[in-house]
Amino acid sequence: MSCPEPPRVTYGASVTDDVHAPLLDPQFRTVLDTLEANGALPLIRGSAVETREHYRALSLARRGADYVPFPVAGVEDDEIDGPAGPIRIRVYRPVDDRGGVVTYLHGGGWVVGDLDTHDPVCRKVAGETGSVVVAVDYRLAPEHPHPVPLGDAMAGLRWTHAAFPDRPLAVAGDSAGASLAAGAAVVARDEGIPLAAQLLWYPSTDPTQSSQSVRDNAEGYFLTAADMRWFYEQYLPDGSDDPHVDLQHADVAGVAPAVVATAQFDPLRDEGDAYADRLRAAGVAVTHVPGPGLIHGYAAFIGLVAAADAAGATALGALGDLLKAAP
């Protein structure tokens, strides 16, 4: 006599047996327990300035005494013209140059993060895709709310396109940077900037924060639902239905092919999944990289957590393939 199949659930693009649904990766369990024990959580620390200092210290602390930067052929800091003055950028040149170029926008809730906090990620993007990477130090909220960060991001993307006109161009980012990258991809389509790809690591695409994953993963997994509310209060103090931010209502037909990576234990999981579906429904080629067992921000733990390494390699491999295939 055959036994009935166990109930099925869908997570991202993968279907698993409910009784075997992925649990939080044990290495991330250790990471979260360590952060909690060391008083590194919660992430928000009063003012934006205090939170920036805390986030920066936390980011740099991940690089212990044995930290070895991912090798690149060269790193150069520079400034470009922005909408309200100079914008700092950092240009990474890969050891194995395969001809692409990526404008990278760091995460941090539009409030925290800088060129240094995301230096390891940018090095990894350069190395794994064989591309020049241009990291953009866009201005931050609440001093500079929307649309200022997107305007700075576009200045960086336009500069990258002008500085490397013969290379296939991508825009990429993580978290809030992924939201900016997605908005920039829409603007690039409208301006005729030829994007070959966009990489969106766990993007924020829904200011209403109404997805089930916001409730399911509200606490206990590094980024909390309360954190996201605070970040949006800084970034959108008057609210916004601008489709460059409220991307679930954006016209995305004709934007660049996308790699959308999400994480199971992330408040933003469902809106990232939904944005991948929205792109696909509009006829955009999409590679969706679900992250079973992973948390928001896992790209910052590449090299430290094996499951983050695997998901990161898949996402960056897909980005590299899109750049390689570009005319």
Side-chain angles (χ1 to χ4, degrees):
M1 182 177 64
S2 62
C3 296
E5 291 187 3
R8 311 280 286 181
V9 296
T10 300
Y11 162 56
S14 64
V15 178
T16 63
D17 294 336
D18 189 23
V19 292
H20 300 299
L23 301 175
L24 179 65
D25 180 84
Q27 287 185 292
F28 268 125
R29 178 73 276 159
T30 299
V31 166
L32 292 173
D33 289 346
T34 301
L35 290 173
E36 186 72 34
N38 291 341
L41 299 177
L43 182 61
I44 306 302
R45 297 298 172 105
S47 70
V49 171
E50 292 169 321
T51 302
R52 282 181 199 134
E53 292 173 351
H54 174 64
Y55 180 82
R56 181 178 170 84
L58 183 60
S59 298
L60 298 181
R62 293 176 189 150
R63 306 166 209 175
D66 297 330
Y67 171 71
V68 178
F70 192 91
V72 293
V75 180
E76 179 184 355
D77 285 0
D78 204 346
E79 288 186 343
I80 63 173
D81 292 334
I87 299 172
R88 295 174 61 228
I89 63 170
R90 183 168 293 168
V91 181
Y92 300 81
R93 296 187 181 272
V95 173
D96 176 21
D97 194 334
R98 282 164 255 163
V101 63
V102 179
T103 298
Y104 196 87
L105 306 167
H106 68 77
W110 309 279
V111 177
V112 304
D114 55 39
L115 297 180
D116 293 332
T117 62
H118 284 66
D119 181 79
V121 175
C122 291
R123 287 172 173 270
K124 191 72 171 178
V125 174
E128 292 292 327
T129 67
S131 302
V132 172
V133 171
V134 179
V136 180
D137 197 25
Y138 57 87
R139 288 171 290 169
L140 299 172
E143 297 89 342
H144 305 287
H146 176 74
V148 173
L150 181 58
D152 289 355
M154 284 307 305
L157 184 60
R158 295 185 194 105
W159 182 89
T160 305
H161 176 50
F164 301 94
D166 298 326
R167 290 176 177 260
L169 172 65
V171 66
D174 60 281
S175 191
S179 176
L180 292 172
V186 175
V187 177
R189 176 205 59 194
D190 296 341
E191 293 188 359
I193 299 173
L195 275 187
Q198 53 180 315
L199 167 61
L200 313 177
W201 254 319
Y202 29 84
S204 177
T205 63
D206 179 12
T208 70
Q209 293 289 280
S210 57
S211 297
Q212 182 63 40
S213 62
V214 175
R215 296 184 287 276
D216 291 345
N217 301 320
E219 295 182 349
Y221 301 111
F222 186 66
L223 179 72
T224 69
D227 292 340
M228 282 306 305
R229 286 194 297 272
W230 186 84
F231 283 133
Y232 269 121
E233 287 169 0
Q234 315 310 305
Y235 185 50
L236 303 173
D238 300 317
S240 177
D241 57 1
D242 183 343
H244 297 110
V245 177
D246 184 8
L247 288 150
Q248 301 294 357
H249 295 95
D251 172 12
V252 295
V255 301
V259 181
V260 182
T262 54
Q264 182 185 11
F265 294 95
D266 180 1
L268 307 186
R269 181 196 67 212
D270 288 353
E271 61 197 78
D273 292 349
Y275 193 61
D277 290 341
R278 183 171 183 80
L279 291 167
R280 197 176 288 114
V284 178
V286 177
T287 299
H288 180 211
V289 183
L294 300 184
I295 64 171
H296 187 88
Y298 73 75
F301 293 90
I302 289 175
L304 300 174
V305 175
D309 289 351
T314 299
L316 292 175
L319 176 62
D321 289 343
L322 288 171
L323 288 168
K324 182 179 179 180

